[in-house]
């Protein structure tokens, strides 16, 4: 299937579903990754332990309509004194503001959601949104986006800044088709280690095409655009066609698929039946090869399945598979089958893409704790598994283990999280480097690539309704290539360039030790508008080289946008 046929396929699919005789039900956009709303949903998931909707949030982002309806139901139980857990006043305030932010999908638009003095009688008629349209056909919310940050870094960068201006639109048509669109123009000057990443990989973290900016060329200029449409068919099957990011997991990191890289085009199908939720994603990604601005970029096609099973009231289990195929041969129709094992399909096609499988779990215990884990397997050779100490390069696996603790130590709205990640050398790589698990010169899973062991600690404290405090500590060890020899940490290289088959362990090569400590404080001046302060310290020490450490801080204002962080 060539590129033109692929475009026709997606167009025909959309039109056929849009005009099919089946009943199309109400549908919305998604809760944004990294938003305060998603963080609150994750907290409620632990507090309630066995919520029928929040339990199934491993694949993100989640549908705005379904979670809003559930939050409204939780609110009614709490007010009736029938909720199984005692919420704090901060939680109740968060619920009220959540419903105000998503009033389109509530059953009753409360008078308390309305502003007493709208700006010029038309703007901010609700504190949550700049402009709202709501009639029998169209429901739409329009919001400006602004992120103005200024700081200093002592690594020779001098002043740092972020200047983002944009627009966010979301809504639904006739309560059948949901849509959203985000566009921003950005200029930013980042600390040296971020600029070194951009120079090494020709990519700004989380960004696609960019240009140097400023007199010294140390800053970046880029557009960020996302958007999509979604609808629910026959009540149980949800479709989304979008250009955006996905995240699979419950941790700070994901070993399956993270939101670190640039946006990509995808078709997402999910269905929820009984104790099961099933996801299928077909995505078009960019090969991580040198890019030329005025030439069409080489493409890959990524296909994945994820099945969640609520085994008990407190335990959710997941199965995952993913394959990355070279786009030179087009999208293979076999991968569009939602009920197939990808490796078997690949073998029958004679293809040689990058295949992975994995399992994950999430256990909510005692309304206080959540234990979560991921195991990723890129290759499985039983002989090498049984002789793990030999360090065979084919042992390409990664494992994550973590725990969250809400209302920690009896302190209301103090949440702690601890996480460990271990990734063996050559994980995410293929013999053909163009089908490594990357997109637009950036990793699609862990931002550090492979051959890394990492420990993360996060403290979130919400002491006042509008004050958010976060402390974060990240420490990792990694092995770098030695004298150009491929030691398995650089996932942009082919594993066929290795010089031996054994004695590869996490950290093999030139050892690197890094520790980052950061503090963030955000005060919500009015709904979704934040005054920010952050301070960070990062050390990066390469064996037998001069130790490196940097301190940087930022002050700024943020409106309808998530905080931008560089946690690597």
């Amino acid at each position: 299937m060539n590129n033109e046929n692929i475009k026709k396929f997606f167009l025909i699919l959309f039109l056929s579903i849009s005009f099919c005789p089946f009943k199309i039900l109400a549908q919305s956009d998604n809760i944004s990754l990294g938003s305060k709303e998603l963080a609150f949903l994750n907290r409620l998931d632990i507090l309630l332990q066995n919520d029928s909707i929040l339990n199934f949030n491993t694949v993100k982002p989640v549908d705005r309509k379904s979670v809003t309806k559930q939050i409204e139901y939780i609110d009614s139980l709490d007010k009736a004194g029938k909720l199984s857990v005692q919420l704090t006043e901060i939680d109740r305030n968060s619920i009220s503001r959540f419903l105000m932010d998503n009033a389109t999908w509530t059953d009753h638009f409360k008078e308390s959601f309305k502003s007493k003095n709208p700006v010029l009688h038309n703007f901010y008629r609700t504190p949550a949104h700049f402009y709202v349209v709501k009639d029998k056909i169209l429901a739409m919310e329009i919001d400006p986006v602004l992120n103005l940050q200024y700081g200093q870094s002592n690594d020779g960068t001098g002043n740092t800044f972020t200047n983002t201006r944009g627009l966010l639109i979301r809504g639904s048509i006739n309560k059948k088709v949901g849509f959203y669109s985000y566009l921003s123009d950005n200029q930013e000057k980042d600390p040296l280690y971020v600029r070194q990443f951009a120079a090494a990989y020709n990519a700004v973290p989380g960004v696609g095409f960019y240009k140097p900016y400023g007199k010294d060329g140390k800053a970046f200029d880029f557009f960020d655009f996302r958007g999509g449409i979604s609808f629910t068919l026959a009540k149980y099957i949800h479709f989304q066609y979008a250009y955006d990011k996905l995240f699979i997991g419950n941790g700070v990191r994901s070993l399956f698929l993270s939101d670190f890289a640039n946006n990509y085009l995808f078709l997402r199908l999910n269905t929820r039946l009984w104790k099961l939720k099933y996801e299928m994603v077909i995505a078009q990604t960019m090969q991580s090869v040198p890019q030329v601005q005025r030439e069409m970029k080489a493409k890959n096609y990524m296909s994945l399945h994820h099945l969640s099973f609520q085994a008990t009231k407190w335990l959710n289990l997941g199965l995952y598979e993913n394959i990355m195929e070279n786009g030179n041969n087009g999208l293979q129709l076999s991968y569009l089958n939602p009920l197939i094992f990808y490796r078997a399909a690949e073998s029958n096609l004679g293809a040689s893409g990058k295949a992975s499988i994995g399992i994950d779990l999430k256990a909510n215990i005692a309304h206080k704790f959540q234990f979560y884990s991921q195991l990723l397997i890129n290759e499985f050779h039983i002989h090498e598994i049984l002789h793990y100490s030999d360090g065979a390069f084919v042992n390409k696996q990664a494992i994550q283990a973590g725990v969250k603790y809400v209302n920690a130590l009896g302190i209301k709205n103090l949440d702690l999280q601890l996480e460990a990640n271990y990734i063996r050398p050559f994980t995410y790589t293929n013999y053909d480097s163009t089908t490594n698990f990357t997109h637009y010169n950036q990793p699609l899973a862990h931002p550090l690539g492979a051959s890394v062991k990492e420990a993360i600690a996060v403290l979130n404290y919400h002491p006042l309704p509008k004050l958010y405090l976060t402390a974060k500590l990240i420490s990792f060890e990694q092995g770098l290539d030695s004298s150009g020899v491929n030691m398995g940490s650089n996932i942009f290289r082919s594993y066929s360039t290795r010089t031996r088959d054994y004695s590869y362990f996490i950290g093999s090569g030139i050892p690197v030790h890094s520790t980052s400590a950061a503090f963030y404080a955000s005060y919500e001046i009015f709904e979704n508008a934040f005054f920010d302060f952050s301070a960070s310290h990062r050390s990066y020490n390469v064996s037998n080289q001069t130790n490196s450490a940097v301190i940087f801080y930022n002050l700024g204002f943020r409106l309808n946008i998530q905080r931008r962080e560089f946690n690597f």
Side-chain angles (χ1 to χ4, degrees):
M1 181 182 281
N2 60 33
N3 289 336
E4 288 301 317
N5 286 335
I6 292 166
K7 295 175 183 177
K8 292 177 182 177
F9 168 79
F10 283 124
L11 178 60
I12 292 170
L13 177 65
F14 170 68
L15 293 176
S16 62
I17 292 174
S18 299
F19 296 100
C20 69
F22 298 107
K23 183 179 180 181
I24 297 179
L25 304 175
Q27 190 52 52
S28 69
D29 67 311
N30 297 319
I31 300 291
S32 300
L33 292 170
S35 66
K36 67 174 185 180
E37 297 170 305
L38 188 58
F40 180 59
L41 292 175
N42 291 335
R43 174 179 162 83
L44 276 185
D45 180 26
I46 302 171
L47 286 171
L48 300 177
Q49 185 171 319
N50 62 341
D51 185 86
S52 60
I53 299 297
L54 302 182
N55 270 344
F56 292 94
N57 66 353
T58 297
V59 182
K60 303 172 180 70
V62 295
D63 171 56
R64 188 179 299 276
K65 170 180 172 285
S66 62
V67 296
T68 300
K69 292 289 186 182
Q70 191 66 8
I71 294 299
E72 192 171 33
Y73 175 65
I74 292 168
D75 184 47
S76 67
L77 290 179
D78 181 55
K79 289 178 177 177
K82 297 180 180 180
L83 199 61
S84 60
V85 65
Q86 184 70 30
L87 298 179
T88 69
E89 289 305 313
I90 298 294
D91 290 331
R92 293 190 176 101
N93 180 268
S94 296
I95 285 177
S96 177
R97 292 164 63 197
F98 187 101
L99 295 176
M100 180 176 65
D101 287 355
N102 299 281
T104 299
W105 301 107
T106 58
D107 288 332
H108 302 94
F109 189 89
K110 301 177 182 179
E111 288 298 319
S112 61
F113 292 168
K114 297 181 180 180
S115 298
K116 294 180 179 179
N117 298 298
V119 178
L120 299 177
H121 303 289
N122 288 304
F123 303 104
Y124 285 109
R125 287 182 290 177
T126 168
H129 301 292
F130 176 74
Y131 190 75
V132 176
V133 177
K134 191 170 184 180
D135 60 26
K136 294 181 180 180
I137 302 298
L138 177 65
M140 183 170 64
E141 293 145 357
I142 302 174
D143 290 300
V145 172
L146 196 63
N147 190 12
L148 304 176
Q149 307 284 331
Y150 180 84
Q152 288 285 327
S153 177
N154 69 346
D155 56 6
T157 302
N159 67 301
T160 61
F161 62 83
T162 299
N163 180 11
T164 296
R165 296 90 56 218
L167 189 67
L168 172 63
I169 302 173
R170 74 180 196 222
S172 67
I173 301 173
N174 204 27
K175 290 190 175 182
K176 291 184 177 181
V177 177
F179 63 88
Y180 72 102
S181 179
Y182 169 90
L183 174 64
S184 67
D185 182 28
N186 307 265
Q187 293 82 40
E188 67 179 36
K189 185 178 181 183
D190 303 315
L192 178 61
Y193 78 98
V194 180
R195 304 201 314 274
Q196 289 174 333
F197 178 97
Y201 300 109
N202 191 25
V204 176
V207 173
F209 176 75
Y210 71 95
K211 295 183 292 185
Y213 177 79
K215 294 181 180 180
D216 56 8
K218 293 182 179 181
F220 307 121
D221 184 1
F222 58 90
F223 288 109
D224 185 12
F225 50 95
R226 303 188 290 272
I229 59 172
S230 55
F231 41 87
T232 297
L233 182 66
K235 189 175 182 179
Y236 298 109
I237 303 175
H238 171 214
F239 288 90
Q240 183 181 31
Y241 184 52
Y243 183 78
D244 209 329
K245 302 178 184 182
L246 299 170
F247 186 97
I248 301 178
N250 298 287
V252 177
R253 309 293 199 192
S254 173
L255 305 183
F256 293 172
L257 178 65
S258 78
D259 57 349
F260 178 77
N262 184 34
N263 306 310
Y264 44 85
L265 184 69
F266 63 84
L267 176 68
R268 180 183 180 188
L269 176 153
N270 67 62
T271 182
R272 167 80 189 280
L273 294 169
W274 187 55
K275 297 181 179 182
L276 302 173
K277 185 175 183 181
Y278 181 75
E279 301 255 2
M280 183 188 80
V281 174
I282 305 292
Q284 184 184 74
T285 62
M286 299 296 178
Q287 291 183 12
S288 292
V289 294
Q291 308 289 358
V292 179
Q293 179 181 358
R294 302 187 185 277
E295 291 183 6
M296 186 63 70
K297 297 174 175 59
K299 300 176 182 64
N300 286 337
Y301 292 99
M302 176 177 69
S303 304
L304 68 87
H305 296 151
H306 187 273
L307 176 66
S308 291
F309 172 51
Q310 194 65 30
T312 69
K313 290 183 177 181
W314 54 271
L315 178 62
N316 186 281
L317 302 175
L319 296 175
Y320 165 82
E321 64 169 339
N322 180 304
I323 196 160
M324 181 76 76
E325 282 291 356
N326 192 308
N328 293 340
N329 297 318
L331 176 64
Q332 301 304 308
L333 291 177
S334 296
Y335 298 137
L336 299 178
N337 187 336
L339 302 173
I340 197 169
F341 181 53
Y342 282 139
R343 178 58 88 181
E346 179 197 45
S347 299
N348 285 324
L349 289 169
S352 55
K354 180 63 180 172
S356 304
I357 60 173
I359 58 174
D360 60 77
L361 68 84
K362 178 182 69 174
N364 291 331
I365 307 294
H367 304 283
K368 291 184 178 181
F369 299 96
Q370 181 182 97
F371 297 91
Y372 60 90
S373 182
Q374 289 183 330
L375 172 63
L376 178 80
I377 301 174
N378 279 171
E379 287 196 39
F380 186 84
H381 295 256
I382 188 63
H383 174 78
E384 305 300 354
I385 293 291
L386 294 175
H387 298 82
Y388 216 73
S389 61
D390 292 343
F393 88 96
V394 295
N395 279 338
K396 293 182 277 185
Q397 300 96 23
I399 188 169
Q400 176 187 86
V403 59
K404 300 175 185 178
Y405 180 17
V406 299
N407 297 327
L409 306 175
I411 302 174
K412 294 180 180 180
N413 296 97
L414 175 67
D415 300 341
L416 301 178
Q417 182 175 3
L418 300 175
E419 179 176 303
N421 297 293
Y422 298 86
I423 307 174
R424 283 207 28 93
F426 300 104
T427 304
Y428 307 114
T429 62
N430 199 14
Y431 85 97
D432 175 4
S433 62
T434 61
T435 53
N436 291 348
F437 199 57
T438 60
H439 165 58
Y440 223 110
N441 298 337
Q442 299 160 72
L444 274 167
H446 198 292
L448 294 173
S451 189
V452 61
K453 54 183 177 181
E454 176 186 50
I456 300 174
V458 181
L459 180 152
N460 287 305
Y461 189 34
H462 193 179
L464 300 172
K466 294 189 175 184
L467 180 61
Y468 301 82
L469 304 176
T470 299
K472 188 175 295 185
L473 181 67
I474 300 175
S475 180
F476 70 83
E477 297 181 11
Q478 188 173 29
L480 302 181
D481 290 351
S482 177
S483 301
V485 177
N486 187 357
M487 302 301 293
S489 65
N490 186 345
I491 66 171
F492 298 96
R493 302 186 68 179
S494 164
Y495 66 65
S496 63
T497 61
R498 69 191 185 280
T499 58
R500 60 179 189 262
D501 290 340
Y502 292 91
S503 297
Y504 291 105
F505 305 96
I506 294 177
S508 292
I510 300 176
V512 170
H513 301 268
S514 178
T515 301
S516 299
F519 172 76
Y520 307 92
S522 297
Y523 186 81
E524 197 164 9
I525 306 167
F526 57 92
E527 196 64 27
N528 297 316
F530 299 87
F531 175 74
D532 292 332
F533 169 77
S534 67
S536 303
H537 176 274
R538 179 182 185 267
S539 66
Y540 188 83
N541 303 323
V542 182
S543 180
N544 297 323
Q545 295 186 21
T546 303
N547 291 347
S548 171
V550 57
I551 298 173
F552 51 97
Y553 69 88
N554 282 286
L555 286 168
F557 174 77
R558 180 167 49 91
L559 177 65
N560 296 313
I561 189 173
Q562 288 72 54
R563 189 170 55 222
R564 182 151 163 78
E565 300 178 21
F566 302 105
N567 296 317
F568 62 91

